[in-house]
């Protein structure tokens, strides 16, 4: 079973984006349709009422124009002079009447009335009317029919106390029926419109969320190893998410591949010292103990060096993309110089440091900076005759780089051999102790930080190792 293209087990109305969008849209449309129906129905009813009142007012004006007074001040209306034949038809739905208004507020109902009223009269509640003013009422008329009534008062000329109320009334049933019919048709029309809009909302939600189904299928393909990336064309709103997810997949694949490579490299690197130790263990018992101890010590150091190197690479690979890392250069250099002065104290090497006054900061971890500069300084001190120099400056390019150079006055390395010196395990001079990993470690760690190591000729006569690393922007001089 499925619902809208999604498995039934994975769908629940409380968590369904499709359901939420559809409910919000339908509820909003329903509220708008109901309000529109109420407004339109009210406007139509008001319009019909105004039209009806306007027509009835014309009838009132006509009766008022035909009203005359005889010599005794009594009202007379020439019924034959009225134009509408409904005045003469009993209970036709159109009526007029004249009431006498006494000074004490009492009235005589139906002094004159239209033939259409037959033997009935219109009874209205007492109403304070100024002369000429028109009031509108709704009352129950002959045969229980609802009537709309317009009334006004007039005075007979020359008779100050005589006031007369003219009444014109019309049946509201036809108007109410027309209004009810309009409301029914309007309601049915709006109900059909609501159904169509709900269907359109469903189609809109289905079409709008369809790319999520394609995204789900793509994720299933990745999960089931049918592909390594999300494939297909997605809308502009979804494509950035797909791109970011593919970037994460690529990053994870690189991490896995790098882990496999590092594991293989470490295993390969440990084969040599392990083989040497195995061969030494199989040697005759007459082997000198001191020689054996030196051999074991040397091979263990080499194995430890390989392990430290791979651990350092793993640590850098995990932290190189973390934001906000910042390590001051000067304390790291000062600490390494003190160590090198102690390690190489017997050789009389003079280490000079020339850093700018403005502090420089490496955009990375202090341990990694110590690893790289420590290897360069140790290598320079091993080969220097008497002098080693450390300098640093900012390269203002993009991205911002910090260049640290370590120079010595030793024999240097020829141009043809510099690339070879950067390879792992290669030692250009076997007479100098080492593992051949120092420069290779520096190069690979720098590469992980998007930096580089360049070997050049030094003004001191030996080698100049220029290490370019990312610099924290806060380190720029103000």
């Amino acid at each position: 079973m499925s619902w809208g293209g999604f498995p039934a087990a994975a769908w629940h109305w409380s968590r369904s984006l499709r359901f939420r969008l559809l409910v919000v849209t339908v509820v909003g449309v329903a509220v708008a349709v109901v309000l529109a129906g109420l407004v339109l129905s009210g406007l139509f009813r008001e319009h019909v009422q105004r039209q009806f009142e306007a027509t009835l007012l014309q009838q009132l004006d006509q009766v008022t124009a035909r009203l005359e007074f005889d010599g005794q001040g009594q009202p007379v209306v020439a019924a034959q002079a009225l134009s509408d034949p409904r005045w003469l038809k009993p209970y036709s739905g159109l009526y007029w009447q004249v009431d006498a208004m006494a000074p004490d507020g009492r009235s005589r109902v139906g002094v004159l009335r239209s033939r259409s009223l037959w033997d009935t009269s219109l009874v209205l509640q007492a109403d304070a009317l100024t002369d000429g003013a028109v009031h509108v009422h709704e009352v129950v008329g002959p045969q229980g029919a609802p009537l709309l009534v317009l009334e006004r008062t007039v005075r007979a000329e020359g008779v100050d106390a005589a006031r007369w109320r003219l009444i014109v009334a019309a049946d509201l049933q036809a108007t109410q029926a027309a209004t009810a019919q309009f409301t029914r048709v309007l309601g049915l029309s709006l109900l059909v419109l609501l159904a169509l809009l709900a269907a359109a909302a469903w189609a809109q939600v289905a079409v709008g969320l369809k790319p999520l189904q394609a995204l789900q299928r793509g994720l299933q393909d990745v999960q089931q190893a049918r592909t390594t990336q999300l494939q297909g064309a997605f809308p502009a709103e979804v494509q950035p998410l797909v791109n970011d997810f593919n970037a994460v997949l690529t990053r994870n694949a690189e991490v896995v591949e790098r882990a496999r490579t590092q594991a293989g490299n470490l295993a390969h690197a440990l084969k040599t010292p392990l083989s040497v130790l195995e061969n030494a263990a199989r040697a005759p018992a007459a082997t000198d103990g001191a020689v054996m101890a030196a051999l074991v010590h040397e091979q263990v150091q080499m194995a430890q060096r390989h392990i430290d190197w791979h651990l350092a690479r793993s640590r850098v690979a995990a932290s190189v993309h973390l934001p906000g890392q910042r390590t001051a250069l000067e304390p790291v250099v000062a600490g390494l110089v003190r160590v090198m002065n102690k390690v190489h104290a017997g050789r009389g090497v003079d280490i000079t440091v020339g850093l700018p006054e403005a502090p420089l900061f490496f955009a990375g971890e202090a341990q990694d900076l110590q690893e790289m500069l420590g290897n360069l300084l140790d290598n320079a001190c091993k080969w220097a005759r008497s002098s080693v120099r450390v300098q640093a400056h900012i390269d203002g390019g993009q991205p911002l780089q910090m260049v640290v150079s370590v120079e010595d006055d030793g024999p240097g390395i020829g141009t043809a051999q510099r690339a070879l010196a950067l390879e792992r395990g290669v030692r250009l001079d076997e007479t100098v102790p080492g593992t051949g990993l120092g420069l290779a470690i520096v190069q690979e760690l720098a590469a992980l930080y998007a930096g580089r190591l360049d070997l050049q000729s030094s003004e001191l006569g030996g080698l100049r190792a220029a290490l370019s690393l990312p610099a924290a922007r806060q380190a720029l001089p103000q």
Side-chain angles (χ1 to χ4, degrees):
M1 293 292 293
S2 64
W3 190 88
F6 292 97
W11 178 86
H12 189 273
W13 66 269
S14 63
R15 300 192 302 269
S16 171
L17 183 61
R18 182 190 299 270
F19 181 81
R20 293 178 184 178
L21 291 176
L22 187 61
V23 167
V24 170
T25 302
V26 171
V27 170
V29 170
V31 171
V33 167
V34 170
L35 292 178
L38 293 176
V39 171
L40 291 176
S41 179
L43 289 176
F44 180 79
R45 185 181 301 107
E46 183 180 355
H47 173 72
V48 171
Q49 185 83 359
R50 286 200 304 267
Q51 291 293 105
F52 196 77
E53 289 180 9
T55 302
L56 201 56
L57 181 60
Q58 293 177 356
Q59 301 287 10
L60 179 61
D61 291 340
Q62 185 180 27
V63 173
T64 304
R66 298 294 183 270
L67 178 65
E68 297 178 355
F69 295 92
D70 59 15
Q72 288 77 31
Q74 296 301 310
V76 178
V77 175
Q80 295 77 8
L82 298 177
S83 61
D84 198 317
R86 290 178 295 172
W87 299 121
L88 303 175
K89 182 180 178 181
Y91 306 129
S92 64
L94 182 62
Y95 315 103
W96 64 265
Q97 179 176 296
V98 179
D99 296 342
M101 305 295 292
D104 59 1
R106 292 179 297 177
S107 62
R108 290 186 296 123
V109 177
V111 174
L112 292 175
R113 62 178 182 268
S114 64
R115 184 176 178 80
S116 57
L117 279 172
W118 197 242
D119 57 352
T120 62
S121 298
L122 300 176
V123 180
L124 304 181
Q125 294 181 352
D127 195 4
L129 289 172
T130 59
D131 293 340
V134 177
H135 283 194
V136 181
H137 305 280
E138 288 189 18
V139 300
V140 177
Q143 300 178 333
L147 302 179
L148 182 68
V149 177
L150 270 66
E151 61 173 334
R152 71 156 53 112
T153 59
V154 296
R155 289 180 181 271
E157 294 181 2
V159 183
D160 294 338
R163 297 176 68 242
W164 306 90
R165 179 166 65 181
L166 301 183
I167 300 172
V168 172
D171 195 339
L172 282 172
Q173 292 183 97
T175 301
Q176 291 176 346
T179 302
Q181 177 65 17
F182 175 80
T183 302
R184 285 193 297 271
V185 173
L186 178 63
L188 181 60
S189 301
L190 292 179
L191 187 61
V192 173
L193 178 62
L194 176 60
L196 294 176
L197 291 177
W202 170 265
Q204 182 181 17
V205 170
V207 173
L209 297 182
K210 189 174 182 180
L212 296 184
Q213 299 179 22
L215 183 60
Q216 183 187 31
R217 290 192 296 269
L219 290 174
Q220 291 175 349
D221 291 339
V222 173
Q223 184 180 14
Q224 297 173 9
R226 289 193 291 264
T227 180
T228 58
Q229 296 277 294
L230 289 177
Q231 305 294 334
F234 296 91
E237 294 79 6
V238 180
Q239 191 62 47
L241 174 64
V242 173
N243 293 340
D244 292 343
F245 189 79
N246 283 337
V248 171
L249 292 177
T250 301
R251 172 70 177 164
N252 288 341
E254 292 175 353
V255 170
V256 171
E257 183 62 27
R258 185 161 52 245
R260 289 174 178 172
T261 302
Q262 290 180 1
N265 291 342
L266 179 59
H268 180 75
L270 294 179
K271 281 183 179 180
T272 299
L274 290 176
S275 297
V276 172
L277 292 176
E278 182 182 9
N279 293 333
R282 292 178 179 178
T287 305
D288 190 346
V291 174
M292 174 63 75
L295 178 63
V296 170
H297 180 70
E298 178 185 1
Q299 297 305 316
V300 169
Q301 281 190 325
M302 181 176 294
Q304 186 63 48
R305 189 67 169 173
H306 282 292
I307 293 172
D308 291 343
W309 176 34
H310 285 283
L311 289 177
R313 292 185 78 253
S314 299
R315 185 187 66 254
V316 174
S319 62
V320 68
H321 296 290
L322 295 178
Q325 298 183 107
R326 189 169 182 261
T327 300
L329 175 64
E330 192 277 333
V332 173
V333 172
L336 290 174
V337 169
R338 287 194 297 270
V339 172
M340 295 302 161
N341 283 332
K342 293 179 180 179
V343 172
H344 301 280
R347 302 189 64 246
V349 177
D350 179 30
I351 304 176
T352 60
V353 179
L355 301 181
E357 294 183 1
L360 301 182
F361 295 89
F362 165 55
E365 289 192 356
Q367 188 174 355
D368 299 325
L369 183 61
Q370 291 171 353
E371 180 77 16
M372 290 182 281
L373 292 183
N375 277 291
L376 293 181
L377 275 170
D378 185 54
N379 188 73
C381 291
K382 286 178 181 178
W383 292 96
R385 294 187 177 92
S386 61
S387 178
V388 172
R389 182 170 63 188
V390 181
Q391 294 179 313
H393 67 276
I394 284 291
D395 183 358
Q398 292 295 333
L400 196 65
Q401 292 283 314
M402 173 181 69
V403 180
V404 182
S405 63
V406 179
E407 304 176 69
D408 62 73
D409 60 352
I413 301 177
T415 304
Q417 295 179 307
R418 289 173 186 170
L420 187 62
L422 295 176
E423 294 184 6
R424 284 181 297 161
V426 175
R427 298 170 58 189
L428 299 181
D429 189 344
E430 297 291 338
T431 63
V432 178
T435 60
L437 297 175
L439 295 180
I441 290 177
V442 175
Q443 178 177 249
E444 293 203 17
L445 291 182
L448 289 175
Y449 277 104
R452 68 179 187 276
L453 174 64
D454 296 322
L455 301 183
Q456 305 163 353
S457 297
S458 170
E459 296 177 354
L460 300 179
L463 180 68
R464 179 179 185 268
L467 178 63
S468 298
L469 295 172
R473 189 166 294 277
Q474 297 90 331
L476 283 174
Q478 301 296 323

